[in-house]
Amino acid sequence: EAGVTQFPSHSVIEKGQTVTLRCDPISGHDNLYWYRRVMGKEIKFLLHFVKESKQDESGMPNNRFLAERTGGTYSTLKVQPAELEDSGVYFCASSQISPGFWDTDTQYFGPGTRLTVL
Amino acid sequence: AQSVTQLDSQVPVFEEAPVELRCNYSSSVSVYLFWYVQYPNQGLQLLLKYLSGSTLVESINGFEAEFNKSQTSFHLRKPSVHISDTAEYFCAVIIAGGTSYGKLTFGQGTILTVHP
C-alpha cells in the first residue's frame, strides 16, 4: 500500500511568487491534515479536511494560503504571494475516519515539502 | 490551550547506552499522548501512543513511554540504543473528547544522535 506522497519535495521561489504544494493521501483515508514546521520551531497544525470539506482551518496563517481538496482525494496548498516567513517544511498527513475515533486513529505523514522563499 | 515541551533539543549518546527523551505537556483537559519519529529524508512515523489504561506503553522496536498524570509528563526511554535509532523524535498531544478531530499539538522535537 502506498503511503502519503507529497510533491514537490523541495521548492525554491522568490518573494511574491506563487507556489502550489500537493498531497496525495493513502487511498481510502478521508481525513487529511496539513502541518508546517518553520525552522527552529515546532510542527504546527494548519488545517484539516474530511473528504472535500474543511473541518478546521484555524491554523492557517493568513489569506495568502488557500487549501483545496476537490473530490475528496488529493489536496493542494497554494501560497500566493509567498513571503519570506512562509519558508519551512510543509507536512501532510492522512487517517481513516472512524466514527468516535477521530482522536485516536493513527495519522500517516508524508515526507514533507521543503519550501524556501528568497 | 494545550502545549508540549520537549526539554532537550539534542541528545547525543553512545551505542548500547540507555536514553531518555523528556516531554511535558500542559492542558486543562484530558489528552492523548503520542511519540512520533522522523528518520532522515522520511516522513513522521508513529512510535507509540497512550490513550488510556496502562500508563506504560511500548513500541515494537524497544522504546517505551510512561504517562505520569501528576507530573504531566510522557518521557520516552530505551534501555539500549542502536545507531539506527538516530532520528528526530516528536512528542505530541490531542485533546481527548472528540472536539479536536485529531489535531496534533507538537513539541519542538529532540534530535537523538547515537554514536558508535
Side-chain angles (χ1 to χ4, degrees):
Chain A
E1 179 183 279
V4 177
T5 58
Q6 293 187 245
F7 182 83
S9 57
H10 293 86
S11 180
V12 180
I13 62 172
E14 293 191 351
K15 176 182 173 181
Q17 289 186 320
T18 297
V19 63
T20 300
L21 313 181
R22 173 170 169 147
C23 168
D24 286 78
I26 293 173
S27 178
H29 280 192
D30 288 333
N31 285 310
L32 188 148
Y33 301 84
W34 283 98
Y35 295 89
R36 176 176 75 169
R37 189 182 194 192
V38 172
M39 187 178 293
K41 300 288 185 67
E42 67 273 24
I43 299 170
K44 285 194 172 181
F45 167 84
L46 294 178
L47 85 159
H48 169 209
F49 284 99
V50 177
K51 298 184 180 179
E52 67 275 6
S53 299
K54 292 176 184 175
Q55 178 68 43
D56 181 355
E57 52 183 332
S58 62
M60 295 287 264
N62 50 61
N63 58 10
R64 295 185 293 103
F65 289 75
L66 175 64
E68 296 181 322
R69 193 182 181 195
T70 306
T73 54
Y74 71 91
S75 174
T76 58
L77 180 64
K78 180 189 287 189
V79 185
Q80 179 183 27
E83 298 289 344
L84 298 178
E85 64 264 25
D86 300 332
S87 296
V89 180
Y90 290 76
F91 293 101
C92 174
S94 71
S95 69
Q96 291 182 311
I97 184 168
S98 307
F101 293 94
W102 292 88
D103 301 334
T104 59
D105 281 343
T106 297
Q107 292 185 30
Y108 296 87
F109 281 75
T113 292
R114 182 174 296 278
L115 173 65
T116 302
V117 182
L118 302 176
Chain B
Q2 69 279 10
S3 66
V4 179
T5 302
Q6 291 182 242
L7 296 158
D8 305 294
S9 59
Q10 297 191 53
V11 174
V13 295
F14 287 106
E15 194 172 19
E16 298 183 6
V19 71
E20 178 180 78
L21 307 184
R22 296 178 292 169
C23 172
N24 286 89
Y25 70 92
S26 172
S27 176
S28 58
V29 297
S30 295
V31 297
Y32 299 124
L33 296 145
F34 304 80
W35 276 99
Y36 280 83
V37 58
Q38 185 180 24
Y39 299 104
N41 301 315
Q42 296 185 28
L44 279 74
Q45 303 172 28
L46 180 65
L47 191 59
L48 47 76
K49 60 184 177 183
Y50 171 78
L51 304 179
S52 64
S54 172
T55 57
L56 185 65
V57 290
E58 299 176 352
S59 72
I60 58 173
N61 58 354
F63 281 94
E64 64 178 31
E66 185 160 19
F67 169 55
N68 187 319
K69 188 174 182 179
S70 63
Q71 297 186 8
T72 60
S73 67
F74 191 54
H75 301 332
L76 182 69
R77 303 184 185 95
K78 189 170 185 179
S80 175
V81 294
H82 303 288
I83 297 288
S84 59
D85 293 324
T86 294
E88 188 162 17
Y89 292 78
F90 297 92
C91 182
V93 303
I94 289 176
I95 293 176
T99 58
S100 65
Y101 298 100
K103 177 169 67 177
L104 286 159
T105 298
F106 286 92
Q108 298 90 335
T110 297
I111 297 173
L112 173 65
T113 304
V114 182
H115 298 284

Coordinates of all heavy atoms in Angstrom, one line a residue, chain B residues 34-80:
Chain B
F34 N 1.3 11.1 22.3 CA 2.0 10.4 21.1 C 3.5 10.7 21.1 O 3.9 11.8 21.5 CB 1.4 10.8 19.8 CG -0.1 10.7 19.7 CD1 -1.0 11.6 20.3 CD2 -0.7 9.6 19.0 CE1 -2.4 11.5 20.2 CE2 -2.1 9.4 18.9 CZ -2.9 10.4 19.5
W35 N 4.2 9.8 20.6 CA 5.6 10.0 20.2 C 5.7 9.6 18.7 O 5.3 8.5 18.3 CB 6.6 9.2 21.0 CG 7.0 9.8 22.3 CD1 6.5 9.5 23.5 CD2 8.0 10.8 22.5 NE1 7.2 10.3 24.5 CE2 8.1 11.1 23.9 CE3 8.9 11.5 21.6 CZ2 8.9 12.1 24.4 CZ3 9.7 12.5 22.1 CH2 9.8 12.7 23.5
Y36 N 6.2 10.5 17.9 CA 6.5 10.3 16.5 C 8.0 10.4 16.3 O 8.7 11.1 17.0 CB 5.8 11.4 15.6 CG 4.4 11.1 15.3 CD1 3.4 11.6 16.2 CD2 4.0 10.5 14.2 CE1 2.1 11.3 16.0 CE2 2.6 10.3 13.9 CZ 1.7 10.7 14.8 OH 0.4 10.5 14.5
V37 N 8.5 9.7 15.3 CA 9.9 9.7 14.9 C 10.0 10.0 13.5 O 9.2 9.6 12.6 CB 10.6 8.3 15.3 CG1 9.9 7.1 14.5 CG2 12.1 8.3 15.0
Q38 N 11.1 10.8 13.2 CA 11.3 11.2 11.8 C 12.8 10.8 11.5 O 13.7 11.4 12.0 CB 11.1 12.6 11.5 CG 11.3 13.0 10.0 CD 11.1 14.5 9.7 OE1 11.2 15.3 10.6 NE2 10.7 14.8 8.5
Y39 N 13.0 9.7 10.7 CA 14.3 9.4 10.2 C 14.7 10.3 9.0 O 13.8 10.9 8.4 CB 14.3 7.9 9.8 CG 14.0 7.0 10.9 CD1 12.7 6.3 11.0 CD2 14.9 6.7 11.9 CE1 12.4 5.5 12.0 CE2 14.6 5.8 13.0 CZ 13.3 5.3 13.0 OH 13.0 4.4 14.1
P40 N 15.9 10.4 8.8 CA 16.4 11.3 7.7 C 15.7 11.1 6.4 O 15.5 9.9 6.0 CB 17.9 11.0 7.6 CG 18.2 10.6 9.0 CD 17.1 9.8 9.5
N41 N 15.2 12.2 5.8 CA 14.5 12.1 4.5 C 13.2 11.3 4.4 O 12.8 10.8 3.4 CB 15.5 11.6 3.4 CG 16.8 12.4 3.3 OD1 16.7 13.7 3.3 ND2 17.9 11.8 3.3
Q42 N 12.6 11.1 5.6 CA 11.4 10.4 5.6 C 10.3 11.2 6.4 O 10.6 12.2 7.0 CB 11.5 9.1 6.4 CG 12.5 8.1 5.6 CD 12.5 6.7 6.3 OE1 11.6 6.3 7.0 NE2 13.6 6.0 6.2
G43 N 9.1 10.8 6.3 CA 8.0 11.4 7.0 C 8.0 11.0 8.4 O 8.7 10.1 8.8
L44 N 7.1 11.6 9.2 CA 7.0 11.2 10.6 C 6.3 9.9 10.7 O 5.3 9.6 9.9 CB 6.2 12.3 11.4 CG 6.9 13.5 11.9 CD1 7.2 14.5 10.7 CD2 6.1 14.2 12.9
Q45 N 6.7 9.1 11.6 CA 6.1 7.8 11.9 C 5.7 7.7 13.3 O 6.4 8.1 14.2 CB 7.0 6.6 11.6 CG 7.6 6.6 10.2 CD 8.7 5.5 10.1 OE1 8.7 4.5 10.8 NE2 9.7 5.8 9.2
L46 N 4.5 7.1 13.5 CA 4.0 6.9 14.9 C 4.9 5.9 15.6 O 5.1 4.8 15.1 CB 2.6 6.5 15.0 CG 2.0 6.3 16.3 CD1 1.9 7.6 17.1 CD2 0.6 5.7 16.2
L47 N 5.4 6.2 16.7 CA 6.3 5.3 17.5 C 5.4 4.6 18.6 O 5.5 3.4 18.7 CB 7.4 6.1 18.2 CG 8.5 5.3 18.8 CD1 9.2 4.4 17.8 CD2 9.5 6.3 19.4
L48 N 4.7 5.4 19.3 CA 3.8 4.8 20.3 C 2.8 5.9 20.7 O 3.0 7.0 20.5 CB 4.5 4.2 21.5 CG 5.6 5.0 22.2 CD1 5.1 6.1 23.0 CD2 6.5 4.1 23.0
K49 N 1.7 5.4 21.4 CA 0.7 6.3 21.9 C 0.1 5.8 23.2 O 0.0 4.6 23.4 CB -0.4 6.6 20.8 CG -1.1 5.3 20.4 CD -2.1 5.7 19.3 CE -2.8 4.4 18.8 NZ -3.7 4.7 17.6
Y50 N -0.3 6.8 24.0 CA -1.1 6.5 25.2 C -2.5 7.1 25.0 O -2.7 8.3 24.8 CB -0.4 7.1 26.4 CG -1.3 7.0 27.6 CD1 -1.5 5.8 28.3 CD2 -2.1 8.0 28.1 CE1 -2.3 5.6 29.4 CE2 -3.0 7.9 29.1 CZ -3.1 6.7 29.8 OH -4.0 6.5 30.8
L51 N -3.5 6.2 25.1 CA -4.9 6.6 25.0 C -5.6 6.4 26.4 O -6.3 7.3 26.8 CB -5.6 5.8 24.0 CG -5.0 5.8 22.6 CD1 -5.7 5.0 21.6 CD2 -4.9 7.3 22.0
S52 N -5.4 5.3 27.0 CA -6.0 5.0 28.3 C -5.4 3.7 28.8 O -4.6 3.1 28.1 CB -7.5 4.9 28.2 OG -7.8 3.8 27.4
G53 N -5.8 3.3 30.0 CA -5.3 2.0 30.6 C -4.0 2.1 31.2 O -3.6 3.1 31.8
S54 N -3.2 1.1 30.9 CA -1.8 1.0 31.5 C -1.0 2.3 31.1 O -1.0 2.7 30.0 CB -1.1 -0.2 31.0 OG 0.3 -0.2 31.4
T55 N -0.4 2.8 32.1 CA 0.4 4.1 31.8 C 1.7 3.8 31.1 O 2.3 4.8 30.7 CB 0.7 4.8 33.2 OG1 1.4 3.9 34.0 CG2 -0.7 5.2 33.8
L56 N 2.1 2.6 31.0 CA 3.4 2.3 30.3 C 3.0 1.7 29.0 O 2.3 0.7 28.9 CB 4.2 1.3 31.1 CG 5.5 0.9 30.6 CD1 6.5 2.1 30.6 CD2 6.2 -0.3 31.4
V57 N 3.5 2.3 27.9 CA 3.2 1.8 26.6 C 4.6 1.5 25.9 O 5.6 2.2 26.2 CB 2.4 2.9 25.7 CG1 1.0 2.9 26.2 CG2 3.1 4.2 25.8
E58 N 4.5 0.6 25.0 CA 5.8 0.1 24.4 C 5.6 0.1 22.9 O 4.5 0.0 22.3 CB 6.1 -1.3 24.8 CG 6.3 -1.4 26.3 CD 6.6 -2.9 26.8 OE1 6.4 -3.8 25.9 OE2 6.9 -3.1 27.9
S59 N 6.8 0.3 22.2 CA 6.8 0.2 20.7 C 7.4 -1.1 20.4 O 8.0 -1.8 21.2 CB 7.6 1.4 20.1 OG 9.0 1.2 20.4
I60 N 7.4 -1.4 19.1 CA 7.9 -2.7 18.6 C 9.4 -2.7 18.6 O 10.0 -3.8 18.5 CB 7.3 -3.1 17.2 CG1 7.7 -2.0 16.2 CG2 5.8 -3.3 17.3 CD1 7.3 -2.4 14.8
N61 N 10.0 -1.6 18.6 CA 11.5 -1.5 18.5 C 12.2 -1.2 19.8 O 13.3 -0.6 19.8 CB 11.9 -0.6 17.4 CG 11.4 0.8 17.6 OD1 10.7 1.1 18.5 ND2 11.9 1.7 16.7
G62 N 11.5 -1.5 20.9 CA 12.2 -1.4 22.2 C 12.0 -0.1 22.9 O 12.5 0.0 24.1
F63 N 11.4 0.9 22.4 CA 11.1 2.1 23.1 C 9.9 1.9 24.0 O 9.0 1.1 23.7 CB 10.8 3.3 22.1 CG 12.1 3.9 21.5 CD1 12.5 3.4 20.3 CD2 12.8 4.9 22.2 CE1 13.7 4.0 19.7 CE2 13.9 5.4 21.6 CZ 14.3 5.0 20.4
E64 N 9.9 2.7 25.1 CA 8.7 2.7 25.9 C 8.5 4.1 26.5 O 9.4 4.9 26.5 CB 8.8 1.7 27.1 CG 10.0 2.0 28.1 CD 10.0 1.1 29.2 OE1 9.7 -0.1 29.0 OE2 10.5 1.5 30.3
A65 N 7.3 4.4 26.8 CA 7.0 5.7 27.4 C 6.0 5.5 28.5 O 5.1 4.6 28.5 CB 6.4 6.7 26.4
E66 N 6.1 6.4 29.5 CA 5.2 6.2 30.7 C 4.5 7.5 30.9 O 5.1 8.6 31.0 CB 6.0 5.9 32.0 CG 5.1 5.6 33.2 CD 5.7 4.8 34.2 OE1 7.0 4.8 34.3 OE2 5.0 4.2 35.1
F67 N 3.1 7.4 31.0 CA 2.3 8.6 31.2 C 2.3 8.8 32.7 O 1.9 7.9 33.5 CB 0.9 8.3 30.7 CG -0.1 9.3 31.1 CD1 0.0 10.6 30.9 CD2 -1.3 8.9 31.7 CE1 -0.9 11.6 31.3 CE2 -2.3 9.8 32.1 CZ -2.1 11.1 31.9
N68 N 2.6 10.0 33.1 CA 2.6 10.4 34.5 C 1.7 11.6 34.6 O 2.1 12.8 34.3 CB 4.0 10.7 35.0 CG 4.0 11.0 36.5 OD1 3.1 11.6 37.1 ND2 5.0 10.4 37.2
K69 N 0.5 11.4 35.1 CA -0.5 12.4 35.1 C -0.2 13.5 36.1 O -0.4 14.7 35.8 CB -1.9 11.8 35.4 CG -3.1 12.8 35.3 CD -4.4 12.2 35.5 CE -5.5 13.2 35.3 NZ -6.9 12.5 35.5
S70 N 0.3 13.1 37.3 CA 0.6 14.1 38.3 C 1.8 15.1 37.9 O 1.8 16.2 38.2 CB 1.0 13.4 39.6 OG 2.2 12.7 39.4
Q71 N 2.7 14.5 37.1 CA 3.8 15.4 36.6 C 3.6 15.8 35.2 O 4.4 16.5 34.6 CB 5.1 14.6 36.7 CG 5.5 14.2 38.1 CD 6.9 13.6 38.2 OE1 7.6 13.5 37.3 NE2 7.2 13.0 39.4
T72 N 2.4 15.5 34.6 CA 2.1 15.9 33.2 C 3.3 15.6 32.3 O 3.7 16.5 31.5 CB 1.6 17.3 33.1 OG1 2.7 18.2 33.5 CG2 0.4 17.6 33.9
S73 N 3.8 14.4 32.4 CA 4.9 14.0 31.6 C 4.7 12.7 30.8 O 3.8 11.9 31.1 CB 6.2 13.8 32.4 OG 6.0 12.7 33.3
F74 N 5.4 12.6 29.7 CA 5.3 11.4 28.9 C 6.7 11.1 28.3 O 6.9 11.2 27.1 CB 4.3 11.6 27.8 CG 3.9 10.4 27.0 CD1 3.4 9.2 27.7 CD2 3.9 10.4 25.6 CE1 3.0 8.1 27.0 CE2 3.5 9.2 24.9 CZ 3.1 8.1 25.6
H75 N 7.6 10.8 29.1 CA 9.0 10.6 28.7 C 9.2 9.3 27.9 O 8.6 8.3 28.3 CB 10.0 10.6 29.9 CG 9.9 11.9 30.8 ND1 9.6 13.1 30.2 CD2 10.1 12.1 32.1 CE1 9.6 14.0 31.2 NE2 9.9 13.4 32.3
L76 N 10.1 9.4 27.0 CA 10.4 8.2 26.1 C 11.7 7.6 26.5 O 12.7 8.4 26.7 CB 10.5 8.7 24.6 CG 10.7 7.6 23.6 CD1 9.5 6.7 23.5 CD2 11.0 8.3 22.2
R77 N 11.8 6.3 26.7 CA 13.0 5.7 27.1 C 13.3 4.5 26.2 O 12.5 3.8 25.7 CB 12.9 5.2 28.6 CG 12.5 6.3 29.6 CD 12.5 5.7 31.0 NE 12.1 6.7 31.9 CZ 10.8 6.9 32.4 NH1 9.9 6.1 31.9 NH2 10.5 7.8 33.2
K78 N 14.7 4.2 26.2 CA 15.1 2.9 25.6 C 16.3 2.5 26.4 O 17.2 3.3 26.6 CB 15.4 3.1 24.1 CG 15.7 1.8 23.4 CD 15.8 1.9 21.9 CE 15.9 0.5 21.3 NZ 16.0 0.6 19.8
P79 N 16.4 1.2 26.8 CA 17.5 0.8 27.7 C 18.8 0.6 26.9 O 19.9 0.7 27.6 CB 17.0 -0.6 28.2 CG 15.9 -1.0 27.2 CD 15.3 0.2 26.7
S80 N 18.7 0.4 25.6 CA 20.0 0.3 24.9 C 19.7 0.7 23.4 O 19.0 0.1 22.7 CB 20.4 -1.2 24.9 OG 21.6 -1.4 24.1

